[in-house]
Amino acid sequence: MSAAPAHDCPLCPRLVAYRAANRAANPAWHNGPVPSWGPRDAPLLVLGLAPGVRGANRTGRPFTGDYAGRLLYGTLLKFGQARGEFREDPNDGMELTGCRIANAVRCVPPENLPTPAEIRTCNGFLQAELAAMPGLRAVLALGVVAHNALLRAKGIPASRHAFAHGAIHVLPDGLMLADSYHVSRYNTSTRRLTPEMFEAAVEALLARLT
């Protein structure tokens, strides 16, 4: 399977129908599977859940155009994994330098929640993404869905590595799987995830990569 689905990927009927509705309502938006972003030779992959309807589904760049990107990209810039300035616009000129970003599900799901079947269907693209990153040493999973999707892509039962914010799991092939709560507006507004918590998780993982 290719690492990137076609813009009119037909594999998930519910997501196809939602895509069609979004295209009709907002024809100038991206409204398709959102491609991964960043250098393929990076040692780190940041793995999210799925595009937001008014964020990446609109702009075509992961975590761009909605609230979730502010903490993520602000932290990546702070720790030298990106350069430039994040302005929630894919034309802001910002570049990723030390990491690549992908989502467990490439198309926006209704209510920001993919079904288990959709997660499984899209997992082949994640497997291909991992295979196309020759220098990959670690994955930062944003939330339990991304955590479990990464384990599925590696053929590892989820029961072997429980999700826990701040945890770093070493998989049998040596790949590190680091966990963080998702950088969503809900998690940050409820203080389930604070900037300090997220920065600590990223800093701890980067320390293992040096």
Side-chain angles (χ1 to χ4, degrees):
M1 180 178 285
S2 168
H7 193 68
D8 287 309
C9 180
L11 296 179
C12 299
R14 189 181 74 118
L15 301 188
V16 171
Y18 191 48
R19 178 198 307 153
N22 280 314
R23 285 180 179 175
N26 301 284
W29 289 8
H30 175 74
N31 290 320
V34 174
S36 303
W37 184 47
R40 286 194 183 276
D41 60 354
L44 172 62
L45 177 68
V46 179
L47 186 62
L49 170 56
V53 64
R54 296 183 177 276
N57 176 67
R58 174 173 62 85
T59 65
R61 191 176 78 177
F63 291 93
T64 300
D66 58 13
Y67 186 85
R70 298 177 188 178
L71 177 56
L72 174 61
Y73 287 122
T75 302
L76 294 177
L77 286 162
K78 179 175 180 176
F79 288 104
Q81 302 304 297
R83 61 174 170 244
E85 180 183 0
F86 175 61
R87 296 196 299 270
E88 301 185 38
D89 182 336
N91 298 312
D92 56 16
M94 189 182 67
E95 296 178 79
L96 296 180
T97 56
C99 66
R100 186 169 169 84
I101 299 178
N103 279 313
V105 174
R106 302 298 183 93
C107 292
V108 59
E111 299 181 353
N112 293 320
L113 190 63
T115 66
E118 289 160 357
I119 297 168
R120 289 193 301 271
T121 297
C122 213
N123 200 254
F125 296 113
L126 177 56
Q127 293 175 35
E129 187 74 57
L130 298 174
M133 296 183 67
L136 184 64
R137 296 174 56 203
V139 174
L140 174 62
L142 303 181
V144 67
V145 171
H147 168 98
N148 288 342
L150 187 280
L151 292 176
R152 174 181 288 276
K154 301 294 288 185
I156 300 171
S159 59
R160 292 189 187 173
H161 298 278
F163 175 88
H165 177 81
I168 299 179
H169 315 265
V170 180
L171 304 186
D173 63 357
L175 183 72
M176 288 183 284
L177 170 58
D179 292 339
S180 172
Y181 292 131
H182 196 281
V183 291
S184 66
R185 180 188 289 272
Y186 177 82
N187 282 345
T188 54
S189 64
T190 60
R191 306 288 288 176
R192 186 184 196 194
L193 179 68
T194 65
E196 294 79 13
M197 289 170 61
F198 185 61
E199 289 179 6
V202 171
E203 187 173 25
L205 175 58
L206 294 177
R208 297 275 292 267
L209 285 175
T210 56

mmCIF file of all heavy atoms in Angstrom, residues 91-124:
data_model
loop_
_atom_site.group_PDB
_atom_site.id
_atom_site.type_symbol
_atom_site.label_atom_id
_atom_site.label_comp_id
_atom_site.label_asym_id
_atom_site.label_seq_id
_atom_site.Cartn_x
_atom_site.Cartn_y
_atom_site.Cartn_z
ATOM 1 N N ASN A 91 0.776 28.404 4.384
ATOM 2 C CA ASN A 91 1.715 29.268 3.664
ATOM 3 C C ASN A 91 2.523 30.154 4.598
ATOM 4 O O ASN A 91 3.087 31.161 4.166
ATOM 5 C CB ASN A 91 0.953 30.134 2.658
ATOM 6 C CG ASN A 91 0.238 29.297 1.607
ATOM 7 O OD1 ASN A 91 0.824 28.390 1.021
ATOM 8 N ND2 ASN A 91 -1.033 29.588 1.386
ATOM 9 N N ASP A 92 2.608 29.755 5.879
ATOM 10 C CA ASP A 92 3.328 30.586 6.843
ATOM 11 C C ASP A 92 4.846 30.458 6.743
ATOM 12 O O ASP A 92 5.583 31.192 7.392
ATOM 13 C CB ASP A 92 2.871 30.294 8.274
ATOM 14 C CG ASP A 92 3.013 28.820 8.670
ATOM 15 O OD1 ASP A 92 3.738 28.078 7.976
ATOM 16 O OD2 ASP A 92 2.394 28.416 9.669
ATOM 17 N N GLY A 93 5.329 29.518 5.942
ATOM 18 C CA GLY A 93 6.761 29.360 5.754
ATOM 19 C C GLY A 93 7.454 28.529 6.808
ATOM 20 O O GLY A 93 8.663 28.294 6.714
ATOM 21 N N MET A 94 6.721 28.059 7.805
ATOM 22 C CA MET A 94 7.339 27.218 8.824
ATOM 23 C C MET A 94 7.785 25.892 8.219
ATOM 24 O O MET A 94 7.129 25.359 7.323
ATOM 25 C CB MET A 94 6.364 26.966 9.969
ATOM 26 C CG MET A 94 7.007 26.284 11.169
ATOM 27 S SD MET A 94 5.829 25.948 12.505
ATOM 28 C CE MET A 94 4.800 24.716 11.738
ATOM 29 N N GLU A 95 8.899 25.364 8.721
ATOM 30 C CA GLU A 95 9.427 24.082 8.256
ATOM 31 C C GLU A 95 9.655 23.152 9.435
ATOM 32 O O GLU A 95 10.080 23.602 10.504
ATOM 33 C CB GLU A 95 10.769 24.278 7.539
ATOM 34 C CG GLU A 95 10.730 25.090 6.279
ATOM 35 C CD GLU A 95 12.135 25.240 5.707
ATOM 36 O OE1 GLU A 95 12.619 24.293 5.061
ATOM 37 O OE2 GLU A 95 12.754 26.294 5.937
ATOM 38 N N LEU A 96 9.385 21.885 9.236
ATOM 39 C CA LEU A 96 9.779 20.874 10.213
ATOM 40 C C LEU A 96 11.190 20.432 9.873
ATOM 41 O O LEU A 96 11.509 20.185 8.709
ATOM 42 C CB LEU A 96 8.820 19.684 10.171
ATOM 43 C CG LEU A 96 7.364 19.966 10.554
ATOM 44 C CD1 LEU A 96 6.540 18.689 10.453
ATOM 45 C CD2 LEU A 96 7.272 20.548 11.954
ATOM 46 N N THR A 97 12.030 20.326 10.891
ATOM 47 C CA THR A 97 13.422 19.975 10.660
ATOM 48 C C THR A 97 13.810 18.641 11.278
ATOM 49 O O THR A 97 14.591 17.889 10.699
ATOM 50 C CB THR A 97 14.342 21.065 11.236
ATOM 51 O OG1 THR A 97 14.041 21.253 12.633
ATOM 52 C CG2 THR A 97 14.139 22.386 10.503
ATOM 53 N N GLY A 98 13.247 18.315 12.448
ATOM 54 C CA GLY A 98 13.661 17.100 13.145
ATOM 55 C C GLY A 98 12.590 16.056 13.267
ATOM 56 O O GLY A 98 12.822 15.010 13.877
ATOM 57 N N CYS A 99 11.422 16.310 12.702
ATOM 58 C CA CYS A 99 10.330 15.351 12.843
ATOM 59 C C CYS A 99 9.409 15.407 11.633
ATOM 60 O O CYS A 99 9.478 16.328 10.815
ATOM 61 C CB CYS A 99 9.532 15.618 14.118
ATOM 62 S SG CYS A 99 8.637 17.184 14.110
ATOM 63 N N ARG A 100 8.554 14.418 11.545
ATOM 64 C CA ARG A 100 7.513 14.341 10.533
ATOM 65 C C ARG A 100 6.196 14.151 11.276
ATOM 66 O O ARG A 100 6.179 13.604 12.395
ATOM 67 C CB ARG A 100 7.794 13.168 9.588
ATOM 68 C CG ARG A 100 6.843 13.050 8.384
ATOM 69 C CD ARG A 100 7.399 12.029 7.398
ATOM 70 N NE ARG A 100 6.456 11.650 6.360
ATOM 71 C CZ ARG A 100 6.257 12.328 5.237
ATOM 72 N NH1 ARG A 100 6.940 13.439 5.017
ATOM 73 N NH2 ARG A 100 5.397 11.907 4.334
ATOM 74 N N ILE A 101 5.104 14.608 10.693
ATOM 75 C CA ILE A 101 3.801 14.525 11.349
ATOM 76 C C ILE A 101 2.822 13.772 10.453
ATOM 77 O O ILE A 101 2.736 14.029 9.250
ATOM 78 C CB ILE A 101 3.257 15.922 11.680
ATOM 79 C CG1 ILE A 101 4.211 16.643 12.644
ATOM 80 C CG2 ILE A 101 1.864 15.839 12.295
ATOM 81 C CD1 ILE A 101 3.787 18.045 12.997
ATOM 82 N N ALA A 102 2.094 12.844 11.058
ATOM 83 C CA ALA A 102 1.074 12.071 10.343
ATOM 84 C C ALA A 102 -0.108 11.865 11.279
ATOM 85 O O ALA A 102 -0.018 12.109 12.484
ATOM 86 C CB ALA A 102 1.632 10.728 9.881
ATOM 87 N N ASN A 103 -1.203 11.377 10.726
ATOM 88 C CA ASN A 103 -2.375 11.025 11.522
ATOM 89 C C ASN A 103 -2.704 9.548 11.364
ATOM 90 O O ASN A 103 -2.476 8.962 10.301
ATOM 91 C CB ASN A 103 -3.589 11.861 11.105
ATOM 92 C CG ASN A 103 -3.583 13.235 11.725
ATOM 93 O OD1 ASN A 103 -3.365 13.391 12.924
ATOM 94 N ND2 ASN A 103 -3.814 14.249 10.912
ATOM 95 N N ALA A 104 -3.259 8.969 12.425
ATOM 96 C CA ALA A 104 -3.661 7.567 12.372
ATOM 97 C C ALA A 104 -4.762 7.348 11.346
ATOM 98 O O ALA A 104 -4.827 6.309 10.697
ATOM 99 C CB ALA A 104 -4.122 7.107 13.755
ATOM 100 N N VAL A 105 -5.642 8.339 11.201
ATOM 101 C CA VAL A 105 -6.697 8.332 10.185
ATOM 102 C C VAL A 105 -6.521 9.584 9.350
ATOM 103 O O VAL A 105 -6.450 10.691 9.890
ATOM 104 C CB VAL A 105 -8.097 8.288 10.833
ATOM 105 C CG1 VAL A 105 -9.191 8.421 9.780
ATOM 106 C CG2 VAL A 105 -8.267 6.986 11.613
ATOM 107 N N ARG A 106 -6.452 9.439 8.040
ATOM 108 C CA ARG A 106 -6.071 10.561 7.179
ATOM 109 C C ARG A 106 -7.233 11.491 6.825
ATOM 110 O O ARG A 106 -7.007 12.646 6.473
ATOM 111 C CB ARG A 106 -5.455 10.031 5.876
ATOM 112 C CG ARG A 106 -4.218 9.148 6.067
ATOM 113 C CD ARG A 106 -3.074 9.893 6.724
ATOM 114 N NE ARG A 106 -1.892 9.061 6.838
ATOM 115 C CZ ARG A 106 -0.918 9.007 5.945
ATOM 116 N NH1 ARG A 106 -0.977 9.738 4.857
ATOM 117 N NH2 ARG A 106 0.122 8.220 6.143
ATOM 118 N N CYS A 107 -8.464 10.995 6.892
ATOM 119 C CA CYS A 107 -9.622 11.818 6.537
ATOM 120 C C CYS A 107 -10.341 12.297 7.782
ATOM 121 O O CYS A 107 -10.375 11.607 8.809
ATOM 122 C CB CYS A 107 -10.603 11.011 5.680
ATOM 123 S SG CYS A 107 -9.985 10.611 4.040
ATOM 124 N N VAL A 108 -10.954 13.464 7.682
ATOM 125 C CA VAL A 108 -11.692 13.997 8.826
ATOM 126 C C VAL A 108 -12.922 13.136 9.091
ATOM 127 O O VAL A 108 -13.679 12.822 8.176
ATOM 128 C CB VAL A 108 -12.084 15.471 8.581
ATOM 129 C CG1 VAL A 108 -12.944 15.637 7.336
ATOM 130 C CG2 VAL A 108 -12.793 16.039 9.803
ATOM 131 N N PRO A 109 -13.133 12.737 10.350
ATOM 132 C CA PRO A 109 -14.330 11.980 10.697
ATOM 133 C C PRO A 109 -15.392 12.890 11.312
ATOM 134 O O PRO A 109 -15.076 13.912 11.923
ATOM 135 C CB PRO A 109 -13.807 10.996 11.751
ATOM 136 C CG PRO A 109 -12.713 11.757 12.442
ATOM 137 C CD PRO A 109 -12.132 12.721 11.430
ATOM 138 N N PRO A 110 -16.657 12.540 11.175
ATOM 139 C CA PRO A 110 -17.705 13.304 11.858
ATOM 140 C C PRO A 110 -17.447 13.346 13.365
ATOM 141 O O PRO A 110 -17.038 12.344 13.970
ATOM 142 C CB PRO A 110 -18.982 12.514 11.539
ATOM 143 C CG PRO A 110 -18.669 11.792 10.259
ATOM 144 C CD PRO A 110 -17.217 11.449 10.357
ATOM 145 N N GLU A 111 -17.639 14.519 13.949
ATOM 146 C CA GLU A 111 -17.463 14.728 15.389
ATOM 147 C C GLU A 111 -16.056 14.360 15.855
ATOM 148 O O GLU A 111 -15.850 14.027 17.029
ATOM 149 C CB GLU A 111 -18.518 13.950 16.176
ATOM 150 C CG GLU A 111 -19.943 14.371 15.848
ATOM 151 C CD GLU A 111 -20.990 13.622 16.634
ATOM 152 O OE1 GLU A 111 -20.640 12.674 17.361
ATOM 153 O OE2 GLU A 111 -22.173 13.974 16.501
ATOM 154 N N ASN A 112 -15.096 14.428 14.942
ATOM 155 C CA ASN A 112 -13.684 14.176 15.264
ATOM 156 C C ASN A 112 -13.432 12.787 15.843
ATOM 157 O O ASN A 112 -12.453 12.594 16.567
ATOM 158 C CB ASN A 112 -13.155 15.236 16.245
ATOM 159 C CG ASN A 112 -13.085 16.608 15.617
ATOM 160 O OD1 ASN A 112 -12.712 16.746 14.456
ATOM 161 N ND2 ASN A 112 -13.469 17.618 16.370
ATOM 162 N N LEU A 113 -14.282 11.826 15.535
ATOM 163 C CA LEU A 113 -14.130 10.497 16.120
ATOM 164 C C LEU A 113 -14.256 9.410 15.056
ATOM 165 O O LEU A 113 -15.360 9.080 14.622
ATOM 166 C CB LEU A 113 -15.185 10.276 17.208
ATOM 167 C CG LEU A 113 -14.994 9.027 18.069
ATOM 168 C CD1 LEU A 113 -13.686 9.112 18.851
ATOM 169 C CD2 LEU A 113 -16.167 8.863 19.024
ATOM 170 N N PRO A 114 -13.141 8.828 14.616
ATOM 171 C CA PRO A 114 -13.214 7.715 13.666
ATOM 172 C C PRO A 114 -13.709 6.448 14.354
ATOM 173 O O PRO A 114 -13.541 6.278 15.565
ATOM 174 C CB PRO A 114 -11.756 7.560 13.200
ATOM 175 C CG PRO A 114 -10.942 8.084 14.344
ATOM 176 C CD PRO A 114 -11.752 9.179 14.969
ATOM 177 N N THR A 115 -14.310 5.582 13.577
ATOM 178 C CA THR A 115 -14.751 4.293 14.119
ATOM 179 C C THR A 115 -13.573 3.328 14.162
ATOM 180 O O THR A 115 -12.568 3.519 13.471
ATOM 181 C CB THR A 115 -15.856 3.687 13.243
ATOM 182 O OG1 THR A 115 -15.280 3.356 11.958
ATOM 183 C CG2 THR A 115 -17.017 4.655 13.057
ATOM 184 N N PRO A 116 -13.674 2.268 14.966
ATOM 185 C CA PRO A 116 -12.610 1.261 14.970
ATOM 186 C C PRO A 116 -12.333 0.698 13.574
ATOM 187 O O PRO A 116 -11.174 0.456 13.217
ATOM 188 C CB PRO A 116 -13.140 0.187 15.922
ATOM 189 C CG PRO A 116 -14.004 0.950 16.885
ATOM 190 C CD PRO A 116 -14.673 2.005 16.034
ATOM 191 N N ALA A 117 -13.373 0.509 12.773
ATOM 192 C CA ALA A 117 -13.177 -0.025 11.420
ATOM 193 C C ALA A 117 -12.390 0.954 10.562
ATOM 194 O O ALA A 117 -11.532 0.552 9.764
ATOM 195 C CB ALA A 117 -14.528 -0.334 10.780
ATOM 196 N N GLU A 118 -12.657 2.244 10.708
ATOM 197 C CA GLU A 118 -11.935 3.254 9.930
ATOM 198 C C GLU A 118 -10.470 3.321 10.349
ATOM 199 O O GLU A 118 -9.574 3.478 9.510
ATOM 200 C CB GLU A 118 -12.629 4.610 10.092
ATOM 201 C CG GLU A 118 -13.971 4.659 9.379
ATOM 202 C CD GLU A 118 -14.903 5.749 9.888
ATOM 203 O OE1 GLU A 118 -14.544 6.459 10.859
ATOM 204 O OE2 GLU A 118 -16.002 5.894 9.309
ATOM 205 N N ILE A 119 -10.223 3.170 11.639
ATOM 206 C CA ILE A 119 -8.841 3.164 12.131
ATOM 207 C C ILE A 119 -8.091 1.971 11.560
ATOM 208 O O ILE A 119 -6.942 2.089 11.113
ATOM 209 C CB ILE A 119 -8.822 3.149 13.668
ATOM 210 C CG1 ILE A 119 -9.460 4.425 14.220
ATOM 211 C CG2 ILE A 119 -7.394 3.022 14.185
ATOM 212 C CD1 ILE A 119 -9.750 4.374 15.712
ATOM 213 N N ARG A 120 -8.756 0.812 11.543
ATOM 214 C CA ARG A 120 -8.117 -0.390 10.986
ATOM 215 C C ARG A 120 -7.867 -0.230 9.491
ATOM 216 O O ARG A 120 -6.803 -0.603 8.985
ATOM 217 C CB ARG A 120 -8.995 -1.623 11.236
ATOM 218 C CG ARG A 120 -9.047 -2.088 12.675
ATOM 219 C CD ARG A 120 -9.662 -3.470 12.782
ATOM 220 N NE ARG A 120 -11.027 -3.522 12.252
ATOM 221 C CZ ARG A 120 -12.118 -3.287 12.971
ATOM 222 N NH1 ARG A 120 -12.015 -2.955 14.251
ATOM 223 N NH2 ARG A 120 -13.315 -3.379 12.417
ATOM 224 N N THR A 121 -8.850 0.312 8.782
ATOM 225 C CA THR A 121 -8.713 0.453 7.331
ATOM 226 C C THR A 121 -7.551 1.363 6.978
ATOM 227 O O THR A 121 -6.805 1.103 6.026
ATOM 228 C CB THR A 121 -10.020 1.003 6.736
ATOM 229 O OG1 THR A 121 -11.066 0.057 6.977
ATOM 230 C CG2 THR A 121 -9.892 1.235 5.238
ATOM 231 N N CYS A 122 -7.377 2.438 7.727
ATOM 232 C CA CYS A 122 -6.327 3.407 7.422
ATOM 233 C C CYS A 122 -4.954 2.962 7.925
ATOM 234 O O CYS A 122 -3.944 3.590 7.604
ATOM 235 C CB CYS A 122 -6.700 4.763 8.034
ATOM 236 S SG CYS A 122 -6.147 6.191 7.067
ATOM 237 N N ASN A 123 -4.914 1.873 8.693
ATOM 238 C CA ASN A 123 -3.646 1.468 9.297
ATOM 239 C C ASN A 123 -2.606 1.053 8.268
ATOM 240 O O ASN A 123 -1.402 1.174 8.510
ATOM 241 C CB ASN A 123 -3.887 0.335 10.301
ATOM 242 C CG ASN A 123 -2.772 0.189 11.297
ATOM 243 O OD1 ASN A 123 -1.977 -0.750 11.211
ATOM 244 N ND2 ASN A 123 -2.694 1.109 12.256
ATOM 245 N N GLY A 124 -3.064 0.585 7.110
ATOM 246 C CA GLY A 124 -2.107 0.223 6.067
ATOM 247 C C GLY A 124 -1.281 1.411 5.600
ATOM 248 O O GLY A 124 -0.095 1.269 5.278
#
